[in-house]
């Protein structure tokens, strides 16, 4: 039995244009979050509304377990623990990325 893994709210890039804002790119660099990580966070992170018109995707332990099942265990996966990405609810742009403290 093959289990579906990932975020039920994630739509592949082929269907949804998922761009990173200039702010998100800058903050990701400042915070040591690699550029491709934001898409993984959106794909596997647990969604919640941020009450500001966006959706926050957080890499919880459960989300990390799902990601490990797909790509295996690595330092890059472990580095995503506590990382979140905020996506605009209107145009699917990644607004920012950060570490939860």
């Amino acid at each position: 039995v093959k289990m579906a893994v990932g975020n039920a709210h994630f739509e592949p890039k082929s269907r949804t244009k998922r761009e990173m804002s200039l702010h998100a790119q800058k903050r990701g660099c400042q915070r040591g979050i690699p550029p491709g990580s934001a898409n993984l966070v959106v794909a596997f992170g647990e969604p919640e509304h941020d009450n500001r018109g966006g959706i926050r995707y957080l890499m919880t332990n459960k989300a990390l377990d799902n990601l490990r099942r797909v790509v295996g265990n690595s330092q890059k996966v472990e580095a995503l623990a506590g990382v979140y990405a905020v996506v605009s609810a209107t145009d699917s742009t990644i607004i920012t990325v950060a570490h939860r403290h």
Side-chain angles (χ1 to χ4, degrees):
V1 175
K2 187 167 181 155
M3 186 168 75
V5 178
N7 190 331
H9 304 285
F10 177 74
E11 294 182 24
K13 193 169 177 109
S14 61
R15 282 190 256 151
T16 301
K17 190 174 184 183
R18 193 122 2 228
E19 293 186 18
M20 285 186 68
S21 69
L22 193 56
H23 174 81
Q25 293 172 23
K26 182 185 271 189
R27 292 295 180 258
C29 287
Q30 290 173 339
R31 296 168 177 159
I33 300 170
S37 299
N39 285 322
L40 286 174
V41 172
V42 173
F44 289 90
E46 293 192 34
E48 63 183 18
H49 289 279
D50 70 354
N51 298 320
R52 293 177 155 180
I55 301 170
R56 183 182 308 119
Y57 294 90
L58 175 63
M59 290 304 288
T60 61
N61 287 333
K62 180 180 173 184
L64 286 170
D65 287 343
N66 286 338
L67 180 58
R68 284 186 202 106
R69 281 190 211 110
V70 174
V71 300
N73 198 8
S74 71
Q75 286 182 338
K76 290 180 181 181
V77 170
E78 296 308 312
L80 293 178
V83 171
Y84 68 88
V86 178
V87 177
S88 169
T90 56
D91 66 3
S92 298
T93 300
I94 298 172
I95 299 169
T96 194
V97 293
H99 297 274
R100 186 171 78 174
H101 294 284

Coordinates of all heavy atoms in Angstrom, one line a residue:
V1 N 0.9 -1.2 0.0 CA 0.0 0.0 0.0 C 0.9 1.2 0.0 O 1.7 1.4 0.9 CB -0.9 0.0 1.3 CG1 -1.7 1.3 1.3 CG2 -1.8 -1.2 1.3
K2 N 0.7 2.1 -1.0 CA 1.5 3.3 -1.1 C 0.7 4.4 -0.4 O -0.4 4.7 -0.7 CB 1.8 3.6 -2.5 CG 2.8 4.8 -2.6 CD 3.3 4.9 -4.0 CE 4.2 6.1 -4.1 NZ 5.2 6.0 -5.1
M3 N 1.4 5.1 0.5 CA 0.7 6.1 1.3 C 1.1 7.5 0.6 O 2.3 7.7 0.3 CB 1.2 6.1 2.7 CG 0.5 7.1 3.6 SD 0.8 6.8 5.3 CE 2.5 7.5 5.5
A4 N 0.1 8.3 0.4 CA 0.4 9.7 -0.1 C 1.1 10.5 1.0 O 0.7 10.5 2.1 CB -0.9 10.3 -0.5
V5 N 2.2 11.1 0.6 CA 3.0 11.9 1.5 C 3.1 13.3 0.9 O 3.2 13.5 -0.2 CB 4.4 11.3 1.6 CG1 5.2 12.1 2.5 CG2 4.3 9.9 2.1
G6 N 3.0 14.2 1.8 CA 3.1 15.6 1.4 C 2.0 16.4 2.0 O 1.2 16.0 2.9
N7 N 1.8 17.6 1.5 CA 0.8 18.5 2.0 C -0.4 18.5 1.1 O -0.2 18.8 -0.1 CB 1.5 19.9 2.1 CG 0.6 20.9 2.8 OD1 -0.6 20.8 2.8 ND2 1.2 21.9 3.4
A8 N -1.5 18.2 1.7 CA -2.7 18.1 0.9 C -3.1 19.5 0.2 O -3.8 19.5 -0.8 CB -3.9 17.7 1.7
H9 N -2.6 20.6 0.7 CA -2.9 21.9 0.2 C -1.8 22.3 -0.8 O -2.0 23.4 -1.5 CB -2.9 22.9 1.3 CG -3.9 22.5 2.4 ND1 -5.2 22.7 2.2 CD2 -3.7 22.0 3.6 CE1 -5.8 22.2 3.3 NE2 -4.9 21.8 4.2
F10 N -0.8 21.6 -1.0 CA 0.3 21.9 -2.0 C -0.1 21.5 -3.4 O -0.6 20.4 -3.6 CB 1.6 21.2 -1.6 CG 2.7 21.5 -2.6 CD1 3.3 22.7 -2.6 CD2 3.1 20.5 -3.5 CE1 4.3 23.0 -3.5 CE2 4.1 20.8 -4.3 CZ 4.7 22.0 -4.3
E11 N 0.1 22.4 -4.3 CA -0.2 22.1 -5.7 C 1.2 22.3 -6.4 O 1.9 23.3 -6.2 CB -1.2 23.1 -6.3 CG -2.5 23.0 -5.7 CD -3.5 23.9 -6.4 OE1 -3.3 24.3 -7.5 OE2 -4.5 24.2 -5.7
P12 N 1.6 21.3 -7.2 CA 2.9 21.3 -7.9 C 3.0 22.6 -8.7 O 2.1 23.2 -9.2 CB 2.8 20.1 -8.8 CG 1.8 19.2 -8.2 CD 0.8 20.1 -7.5
K13 N 4.3 23.0 -8.9 CA 4.6 24.2 -9.6 C 4.0 24.3 -11.0 O 3.7 25.3 -11.5 CB 6.1 24.4 -9.6 CG 6.5 25.8 -10.0 CD 8.0 26.0 -9.8 CE 8.4 27.4 -10.3 NZ 8.7 28.3 -9.3
S14 N 3.8 23.1 -11.6 CA 3.2 23.1 -12.9 C 1.8 23.7 -13.0 O 1.4 24.2 -14.0 CB 3.2 21.7 -13.5 OG 2.5 20.8 -12.7
R15 N 1.1 23.6 -11.8 CA -0.3 24.1 -11.8 C -0.4 25.4 -11.1 O -1.3 26.2 -11.3 CB -1.2 23.1 -11.0 CG -1.6 21.9 -11.9 CD -2.6 21.1 -11.2 NE -2.0 19.9 -10.7 CZ -2.4 19.3 -9.7 NH1 -3.4 19.7 -9.0 NH2 -1.8 18.2 -9.3
T16 N 0.5 25.7 -10.2 CA 0.5 26.9 -9.4 C 1.9 27.6 -9.5 O 2.9 27.0 -9.2 CB 0.2 26.7 -7.9 OG1 -1.1 26.0 -7.9 CG2 0.1 27.9 -7.1
K17 N 1.9 28.8 -9.9 CA 3.1 29.6 -10.0 C 3.5 30.0 -8.6 O 2.8 30.8 -8.0 CB 2.9 30.8 -10.9 CG 4.2 31.5 -11.2 CD 4.0 32.6 -12.2 CE 5.2 33.3 -12.6 NZ 5.0 34.4 -13.6
R18 N 4.5 29.4 -8.1 CA 5.0 29.7 -6.7 C 6.3 30.5 -6.7 O 7.3 29.9 -6.9 CB 5.1 28.4 -6.0 CG 5.2 28.5 -4.6 CD 4.3 27.9 -3.6 NE 3.2 27.1 -3.9 CZ 2.0 27.2 -3.3 NH1 1.8 28.3 -2.6 NH2 1.1 26.4 -3.5
E19 N 6.2 31.8 -6.7 CA 7.4 32.6 -6.7 C 7.8 33.1 -5.3 O 6.9 33.2 -4.5 CB 7.2 33.8 -7.7 CG 7.0 33.3 -9.1 CD 7.0 34.5 -10.0 OE1 7.4 35.6 -9.6 OE2 6.5 34.3 -11.2
M20 N 9.0 33.3 -5.1 CA 9.5 33.9 -3.9 C 9.6 35.4 -4.1 O 10.2 35.9 -5.0 CB 10.8 33.4 -3.5 CG 10.8 32.0 -2.9 SD 12.3 31.4 -2.3 CE 12.6 32.4 -0.9
S21 N 9.0 36.2 -3.1 CA 9.2 37.6 -3.2 C 10.6 38.0 -3.0 O 11.4 37.2 -2.4 CB 8.3 38.3 -2.1 OG 8.8 38.0 -0.8
L22 N 11.0 39.2 -3.3 CA 12.3 39.7 -3.1 C 12.6 39.7 -1.6 O 13.7 39.3 -1.2 CB 12.5 41.1 -3.7 CG 13.9 41.7 -3.8 CD1 14.7 40.8 -4.6 CD2 13.8 43.1 -4.4
H23 N 11.6 40.0 -0.8 CA 11.8 40.0 0.7 C 12.1 38.6 1.1 O 13.0 38.4 2.0 CB 10.5 40.5 1.3 CG 10.5 40.4 2.8 ND1 11.1 41.3 3.6 CD2 10.0 39.5 3.6 CE1 10.9 41.0 4.9 NE2 10.2 39.9 4.9
A24 N 11.4 37.6 0.6 CA 11.6 36.2 1.0 C 13.0 35.8 0.7 O 13.7 35.1 1.4 CB 10.6 35.3 0.4
Q25 N 13.5 36.1 -0.5 CA 14.8 35.8 -1.0 C 15.9 36.4 -0.1 O 16.8 35.7 0.4 CB 15.1 36.2 -2.4 CG 14.2 35.5 -3.4 CD 14.3 36.1 -4.8 OE1 15.3 36.8 -5.1 NE2 13.3 35.9 -5.6
K26 N 15.7 37.7 0.3 CA 16.7 38.4 1.1 C 16.7 37.8 2.5 O 17.7 37.5 3.1 CB 16.3 39.9 1.2 CG 17.3 40.7 2.0 CD 16.8 42.1 2.1 CE 17.3 43.0 1.0 NZ 17.0 44.4 1.2
R27 N 15.5 37.6 3.1 CA 15.4 37.0 4.5 C 16.0 35.6 4.5 O 16.6 35.2 5.5 CB 14.0 37.1 5.0 CG 13.5 38.5 5.2 CD 14.2 39.1 6.3 NE 13.7 40.5 6.5 CZ 14.3 41.6 6.1 NH1 15.4 41.5 5.4 NH2 13.8 42.8 6.4
G28 N 15.7 34.8 3.5 CA 16.2 33.5 3.5 C 17.8 33.5 3.5 O 18.4 32.7 4.2
C29 N 18.4 34.3 2.7 CA 19.8 34.5 2.7 C 20.3 34.9 4.1 O 21.3 34.4 4.6 CB 20.3 35.4 1.7 SG 20.2 34.8 0.0
Q30 N 19.7 35.9 4.7 CA 20.1 36.5 6.0 C 20.0 35.4 7.1 O 20.7 35.4 8.0 CB 19.3 37.7 6.3 CG 19.5 38.9 5.5 CD 18.6 40.0 5.8 OE1 17.5 39.8 6.3 NE2 18.9 41.3 5.4
R31 N 19.0 34.6 6.9 CA 18.7 33.6 8.0 C 19.3 32.2 7.7 O 19.0 31.3 8.5 CB 17.2 33.5 8.2 CG 16.6 34.8 8.7 CD 15.1 34.9 8.6 NE 14.6 36.1 9.1 CZ 13.4 36.7 8.9 NH1 12.6 36.0 8.1 NH2 13.1 37.8 9.4
G32 N 20.1 32.1 6.7 CA 20.7 30.8 6.4 C 19.8 29.7 5.9 O 20.1 28.5 6.2
I33 N 18.7 30.1 5.3 CA 17.8 29.1 4.7 C 18.0 29.0 3.2 O 17.8 29.9 2.5 CB 16.3 29.5 5.0 CG1 16.1 29.6 6.5 CG2 15.4 28.5 4.4 CD1 14.8 30.3 6.9
P34 N 18.5 27.8 2.7 CA 18.8 27.7 1.3 C 17.6 28.0 0.4 O 16.4 27.7 0.8 CB 19.2 26.2 1.2 CG 19.6 25.8 2.6 CD 18.8 26.6 3.5
P35 N 17.8 28.5 -0.8 CA 16.7 28.9 -1.7 C 15.7 27.9 -2.0 O 14.5 28.1 -2.0 CB 17.5 29.3 -3.0 CG 18.8 29.7 -2.5 CD 19.1 28.8 -1.3
G36 N 16.0 26.6 -2.2 CA 15.1 25.6 -2.6 C 14.3 25.1 -1.4 O 13.2 24.4 -1.5
S37 N 14.7 25.5 -0.2 CA 14.0 25.0 1.0 C 12.6 25.5 1.2 O 11.7 24.8 1.7 CB 14.8 25.4 2.2 OG 16.1 24.8 2.2
A38 N 12.3 26.7 0.7 CA 11.0 27.3 0.9 C 9.9 26.4 0.2 O 8.8 26.2 0.8 CB 10.9 28.7 0.3
N39 N 10.2 25.9 -1.0 CA 9.3 25.0 -1.7 C 9.0 23.7 -0.9 O 7.9 23.2 -0.9 CB 9.7 24.8 -3.1 CG 9.5 26.0 -4.0 OD1 8.5 26.7 -3.9 ND2 10.4 26.2 -4.9
L40 N 10.1 23.2 -0.3 CA 9.9 22.0 0.5 C 9.0 22.3 1.7 O 8.2 21.4 2.1 CB 11.2 21.4 0.9 CG 12.0 20.7 -0.1 CD1 13.4 20.3 0.4 CD2 11.3 19.5 -0.6
V41 N 9.2 23.4 2.3 CA 8.5 23.8 3.5 C 7.0 23.9 3.1 O 6.1 23.5 3.9 CB 9.0 25.1 4.1 CG1 8.1 25.6 5.2 CG2 10.4 24.9 4.7
V42 N 6.7 24.5 2.0 CA 5.3 24.7 1.5 C 4.7 23.3 1.2 O 3.6 23.0 1.4 CB 5.2 25.7 0.4 CG1 3.8 25.7 -0.2 CG2 5.6 27.1 0.8
A43 N 5.5 22.5 0.6 CA 5.1 21.1 0.2 C 4.8 20.2 1.4 O 3.8 19.5 1.3 CB 6.1 20.5 -0.7
F44 N 5.6 20.3 2.4 CA 5.5 19.3 3.5 C 5.0 20.0 4.8 O 4.6 19.3 5.8 CB 6.8 18.6 3.7 CG 7.1 17.6 2.6 CD1 7.8 18.0 1.5 CD2 6.6 16.3 2.6 CE1 8.0 17.2 0.4 CE2 6.8 15.4 1.6 CZ 7.5 15.9 0.5
G45 N 5.2 21.3 5.0 CA 4.9 21.9 6.3 C 3.4 21.9 6.6 O 2.5 21.7 5.7
E46 N 3.1 22.0 7.9 CA 1.7 22.0 8.3 C 1.1 23.5 8.2 O 1.7 24.4 8.8 CB 1.6 21.5 9.8 CG 2.0 20.1 9.9 CD 1.6 19.5 11.2 OE1 0.6 19.9 11.8 OE2 2.4 18.6 11.7
P47 N 0.0 23.6 7.5 CA -0.5 24.9 7.2 C -1.4 25.5 8.4 O -2.0 24.7 9.1 CB -1.4 24.7 6.0 CG -1.9 23.3 6.1 CD -0.7 22.6 6.8
E48 N -1.3 26.8 8.6 CA -2.2 27.5 9.5 C -2.3 28.9 9.0 O -1.4 29.5 8.4 CB -1.6 27.5 10.9 CG -0.3 28.2 11.1 CD 0.2 28.0 12.5 OE1 -0.2 27.2 13.3 OE2 1.1 28.8 12.9
H49 N -3.4 29.5 9.2 CA -3.6 30.9 8.8 C -2.9 31.8 9.8 O -2.9 31.6 11.0 CB -5.1 31.3 8.8 CG -5.8 30.6 7.6 ND1 -5.8 31.1 6.3 CD2 -6.6 29.5 7.6 CE1 -6.5 30.3 5.6 NE2 -7.0 29.3 6.3
D50 N -2.3 32.9 9.2 CA -1.5 33.8 10.1 C -2.3 35.0 10.5 O -1.8 35.9 11.2 CB -0.2 34.2 9.4 CG -0.4 35.1 8.2 OD1 -1.6 35.4 7.8 OD2 0.6 35.6 7.7
N51 N -3.6 35.0 10.1 CA -4.5 36.1 10.5 C -4.0 37.5 9.9 O -4.4 38.5 10.5 CB -4.7 36.2 12.0 CG -5.4 35.0 12.5 OD1 -6.3 34.4 11.9 ND2 -4.9 34.5 13.7
R52 N -3.2 37.4 8.9 CA -2.8 38.6 8.2 C -3.0 38.5 6.7 O -2.3 39.2 5.9 CB -1.3 38.9 8.5 CG -1.0 39.3 9.9 CD 0.4 39.4 10.1 NE 0.7 40.3 11.2 CZ 1.9 40.6 11.6 NH1 3.0 40.2 10.9 NH2 2.1 41.4 12.6
G53 N -3.7 37.5 6.3 CA -4.0 37.3 4.8 C -3.0 36.3 4.2 O -2.9 36.2 3.0
G54 N -2.3 35.6 5.0 CA -1.4 34.6 4.5 C -1.6 33.2 5.2 O -2.3 33.1 6.1
I55 N -0.9 32.3 4.6 CA -0.9 30.9 5.2 C 0.6 30.6 5.6 O 1.5 30.7 4.8 CB -1.4 29.9 4.2 CG1 -2.8 30.3 3.8 CG2 -1.4 28.5 4.8 CD1 -3.4 29.5 2.6
R56 N 0.8 30.2 6.8 CA 2.1 29.8 7.3 C 2.2 28.3 7.3 O 1.4 27.6 7.8 CB 2.2 30.3 8.8 CG 3.6 30.0 9.4 CD 3.7 30.5 10.8 NE 3.3 31.9 11.0 CZ 2.3 32.2 11.8 NH1 1.5 31.3 12.4 NH2 2.0 33.5 11.9
Y57 N 3.3 27.8 6.7 CA 3.6 26.4 6.6 C 4.8 26.2 7.5 O 5.9 26.7 7.3 CB 3.9 26.0 5.2 CG 2.8 26.1 4.2 CD1 2.5 27.3 3.5 CD2 1.9 25.1 4.1 CE1 1.4 27.4 2.7 CE2 0.8 25.2 3.2 CZ 0.6 26.3 2.5 OH -0.5 26.4 1.7
L58 N 4.6 25.4 8.5 CA 5.6 25.1 9.5 C 6.2 23.7 9.5 O 5.4 22.7 9.4 CB 5.1 25.4 10.9 CG 6.0 25.1 12.1 CD1 7.2 26.0 12.1 CD2 5.2 25.3 13.4
M59 N 7.5 23.5 9.5 CA 8.1 22.2 9.5 C 8.1 21.7 11.0 O 9.0 21.9 11.7 CB 9.5 22.3 9.0 CG 9.5 22.6 7.5 SD 8.6 21.4 6.5 CE 9.6 19.9 6.6
T60 N 7.0 21.0 11.3 CA 6.9 20.3 12.6 C 7.6 19.0 12.5 O 8.1 18.5 11.5 CB 5.5 20.1 13.0 OG1 4.9 19.3 12.0 CG2 4.7 21.5 13.0
N61 N 7.6 18.2 13.7 CA 8.2 16.9 13.7 C 7.5 16.0 12.7 O 8.1 15.2 12.0 CB 8.2 16.3 15.1 CG 9.2 16.9 16.0 OD1 10.2 17.4 15.5 ND2 8.9 17.0 17.3
K62 N 6.1 16.1 12.7 CA 5.3 15.3 11.8 C 5.7 15.6 10.3 O 5.8 14.7 9.5 CB 3.9 15.6 12.0 CG 2.9 14.8 11.1 CD 1.5 15.2 11.5 CE 0.5 14.5 10.5 NZ -0.9 14.9 10.8
A63 N 5.8 16.9 10.0 CA 6.2 17.3 8.6 C 7.6 16.8 8.2 O 7.8 16.3 7.1 CB 6.1 18.8 8.5
L64 N 8.5 16.9 9.2 CA 9.9 16.4 8.9 C 9.8 14.8 8.7 O 10.6 14.3 7.8 CB 10.8 16.7 10.1 CG 11.2 18.1 10.2 CD1 11.9 18.4 11.5 CD2 12.1 18.5 9.0
D65 N 9.0 14.1 9.4 CA 8.9 12.7 9.2 C 8.4 12.4 7.8 O 8.9 11.5 7.1 CB 8.0 12.0 10.3 CG 8.6 12.0 11.6 OD1 9.8 12.1 11.8 OD2 7.8 11.8 12.6
N66 N 7.4 13.1 7.4 CA 6.9 12.9 6.0 C 8.0 13.2 5.0 O 8.1 12.5 4.0 CB 5.7 13.8 5.7 CG 4.4 13.3 6.4 OD1 4.3 12.1 6.8 ND2 3.5 14.2 6.7
L67 N 8.7 14.3 5.2 CA 9.8 14.6 4.2 C 10.9 13.6 4.2 O 11.4 13.2 3.1 CB 10.4 16.0 4.6 CG 11.5 16.5 3.7 CD1 11.1 16.6 2.2 CD2 12.0 17.9 4.2
R68 N 11.2 13.0 5.4 CA 12.2 12.0 5.5 C 11.8 10.7 4.7 O 12.6 10.1 4.1 CB 12.5 11.6 6.9 CG 13.3 12.6 7.7 CD 13.7 12.1 9.1 NE 14.0 13.1 9.9 CZ 13.2 13.6 10.9 NH1 12.1 13.1 11.2 NH2 13.6 14.6 11.6
R69 N 10.5 10.4 4.7 CA 10.0 9.2 4.0 C 10.2 9.4 2.5 O 10.4 8.4 1.8 CB 8.5 9.0 4.3 CG 8.3 8.4 5.6 CD 6.8 7.9 5.8 NE 6.5 8.0 7.2 CZ 5.7 8.9 7.7 NH1 5.1 9.8 7.0 NH2 5.5 8.9 9.0
V70 N 10.2 10.6 2.0 CA 10.3 10.9 0.6 C 11.8 11.0 0.2 O 12.2 10.4 -0.8 CB 9.5 12.1 0.2 CG1 9.8 12.5 -1.3 CG2 8.0 11.9 0.4
V71 N 12.6 11.8 0.9 CA 13.9 12.1 0.5 C 15.0 11.4 1.3 O 16.2 11.5 1.0 CB 14.2 13.6 0.4 CG1 13.3 14.3 -0.6 CG2 14.1 14.2 1.8
G72 N 14.6 10.8 2.4 CA 15.6 10.2 3.3 C 16.1 11.2 4.3 O 15.7 12.3 4.3
N73 N 16.9 10.7 5.3 CA 17.4 11.5 6.4 C 18.7 12.1 6.0 O 19.6 11.5 5.4 CB 17.6 10.6 7.6 CG 17.6 11.5 8.9 OD1 17.4 12.7 8.8 ND2 18.0 10.8 10.0
S74 N 18.8 13.4 6.2 CA 20.1 14.1 5.9 C 20.2 15.4 6.8 O 19.2 15.8 7.4 CB 20.2 14.5 4.4 OG 19.3 15.5 4.2
Q75 N 21.4 16.0 6.8 CA 21.6 17.2 7.5 C 20.7 18.3 7.0 O 20.2 19.2 7.7 CB 23.0 17.6 7.5 CG 23.9 16.8 8.4 CD 25.3 17.2 8.4 OE1 25.8 17.9 7.5 NE2 26.1 16.9 9.5
K76 N 20.5 18.3 5.6 CA 19.7 19.3 5.0 C 18.2 19.2 5.5 O 17.6 20.3 5.7 CB 19.8 19.2 3.5 CG 21.1 19.7 3.0 CD 21.2 19.6 1.5 CE 22.6 20.0 1.0 NZ 22.7 19.9 -0.5
V77 N 17.7 18.0 5.6 CA 16.4 17.8 6.1 C 16.3 18.3 7.6 O 15.4 19.0 8.0 CB 15.9 16.4 6.0 CG1 14.6 16.1 6.7 CG2 15.8 16.0 4.5
E78 N 17.3 17.9 8.4 CA 17.2 18.2 9.8 C 17.3 19.8 10.0 O 16.8 20.3 10.9 CB 18.4 17.5 10.5 CG 18.3 16.0 10.5 CD 16.9 15.5 11.0 OE1 16.4 16.0 12.1 OE2 16.3 14.7 10.3
A79 N 18.0 20.4 9.1 CA 18.2 21.9 9.2 C 16.8 22.6 9.0 O 16.7 23.8 9.3 CB 19.2 22.4 8.1
L80 N 15.8 21.9 8.4 CA 14.5 22.5 8.2 C 13.6 22.5 9.5 O 12.5 23.1 9.4 CB 13.8 21.8 7.0 CG 14.4 22.0 5.7 CD1 13.6 21.2 4.6 CD2 14.5 23.5 5.3
A81 N 14.1 21.9 10.5 CA 13.3 21.8 11.7 C 13.0 23.2 12.2 O 13.9 24.0 12.4 CB 14.0 21.0 12.8
G82 N 11.7 23.5 12.4 CA 11.3 24.8 12.9 C 11.2 25.9 11.9 O 10.9 27.1 12.2
V83 N 11.5 25.6 10.6 CA 11.5 26.6 9.6 C 10.0 26.8 9.1 O 9.3 25.8 9.1 CB 12.4 26.2 8.4 CG1 12.2 27.2 7.2 CG2 13.8 26.2 8.8
Y84 N 9.7 28.0 8.8 CA 8.3 28.2 8.3 C 8.4 29.2 7.1 O 9.4 29.9 6.9 CB 7.4 28.8 9.3 CG 7.6 30.2 9.8 CD1 7.1 31.3 9.2 CD2 8.4 30.4 11.0 CE1 7.3 32.6 9.7 CE2 8.6 31.6 11.5 CZ 8.1 32.7 10.8 OH 8.3 34.0 11.3
A85 N 7.4 29.1 6.2 CA 7.3 30.0 5.1 C 5.9 30.5 5.1 O 4.9 29.8 5.4 CB 7.5 29.2 3.8
V86 N 5.7 31.8 4.8 CA 4.4 32.4 4.7 C 4.1 32.7 3.3 O 4.9 33.3 2.5 CB 4.4 33.8 5.5 CG1 3.0 34.4 5.4 CG2 4.7 33.5 7.0
V87 N 2.9 32.2 2.9 CA 2.5 32.3 1.5 C 1.3 33.2 1.4 O 0.3 33.0 2.2 CB 2.2 30.9 0.9 CG1 1.6 31.0 -0.5 CG2 3.4 30.0 1.0
S88 N 1.2 34.1 0.4 CA 0.1 34.9 0.2 C -1.1 34.1 -0.2 O -1.0 33.2 -1.0 CB 0.4 35.9 -0.9 OG -0.8 36.6 -1.3
A89 N -2.2 34.3 0.5 CA -3.5 33.6 0.2 C -4.1 34.0 -1.1 O -4.8 33.3 -1.7 CB -4.5 33.7 1.3
T90 N -3.7 35.2 -1.6 CA -4.3 35.7 -2.9 C -3.5 35.2 -4.1 O -4.1 34.9 -5.1 CB -4.4 37.2 -2.9 OG1 -3.1 37.8 -2.6 CG2 -5.3 37.7 -1.8
D91 N -2.2 35.3 -4.1 CA -1.5 35.0 -5.4 C -0.4 33.9 -5.2 O 0.4 33.7 -6.1 CB -0.8 36.3 -5.9 CG 0.2 36.8 -5.1 OD1 0.6 36.2 -4.0 OD2 0.8 37.9 -5.4
S92 N -0.4 33.2 -4.1 CA 0.5 32.0 -3.9 C 2.0 32.4 -3.9 O 2.9 31.5 -4.0 CB 0.3 30.9 -4.9 OG -1.0 30.5 -4.8
T93 N 2.3 33.7 -3.7 CA 3.7 34.1 -3.6 C 4.2 33.8 -2.2 O 3.6 34.0 -1.2 CB 3.9 35.6 -3.9 OG1 3.4 35.9 -5.2 CG2 5.3 36.1 -3.7
I94 N 5.5 33.3 -2.1 CA 6.1 33.1 -0.8 C 6.6 34.4 -0.3 O 7.4 35.1 -1.0 CB 7.3 32.1 -0.9 CG1 6.7 30.7 -1.4 CG2 8.0 31.9 0.4 CD1 7.8 29.7 -1.7
I95 N 6.0 34.9 0.8 CA 6.2 36.2 1.3 C 7.5 36.3 2.1 O 8.3 37.2 2.0 CB 5.1 36.7 2.1 CG1 3.8 36.8 1.3 CG2 5.3 38.1 2.8 CD1 2.5 37.0 2.1
T96 N 7.7 35.3 2.9 CA 8.9 35.3 3.8 C 9.2 33.9 4.3 O 8.3 33.0 4.2 CB 8.8 36.3 5.0 OG1 10.1 36.5 5.5 CG2 7.9 35.8 6.0
V97 N 10.4 33.7 4.7 CA 10.8 32.4 5.4 C 11.6 32.7 6.6 O 12.3 33.8 6.7 CB 11.7 31.5 4.4 CG1 10.9 31.0 3.3 CG2 12.9 32.2 3.9
A98 N 11.5 31.9 7.6 CA 12.2 32.2 8.9 C 12.2 30.9 9.7 O 11.6 29.9 9.4 CB 11.4 33.3 9.7
H99 N 12.9 31.0 10.9 CA 13.0 30.0 11.9 C 12.1 30.3 13.0 O 12.0 31.5 13.4 CB 14.4 29.8 12.5 CG 15.4 29.4 11.5 ND1 15.7 28.1 11.1 CD2 16.3 30.2 10.7 CE1 16.7 28.1 10.2 NE2 17.0 29.3 10.0
R100 N 11.3 29.4 13.5 CA 10.4 29.6 14.6 C 11.3 29.6 15.9 O 12.1 28.7 16.0 CB 9.3 28.6 14.7 CG 8.4 28.9 15.9 CD 7.2 28.1 15.8 NE 7.5 26.7 16.4 CZ 6.7 25.8 16.6 NH1 5.4 25.9 16.2 NH2 7.0 24.6 17.1
H101 N 11.2 30.5 16.8 CA 12.0 30.6 18.0 C 11.2 30.2 19.2 O 10.0 30.3 19.3 CB 12.5 32.0 18.2 CG 13.5 32.3 17.1 ND1 14.8 31.9 17.1 CD2 13.4 33.1 16.0 CE1 15.4 32.4 16.0 NE2 14.6 33.1 15.4

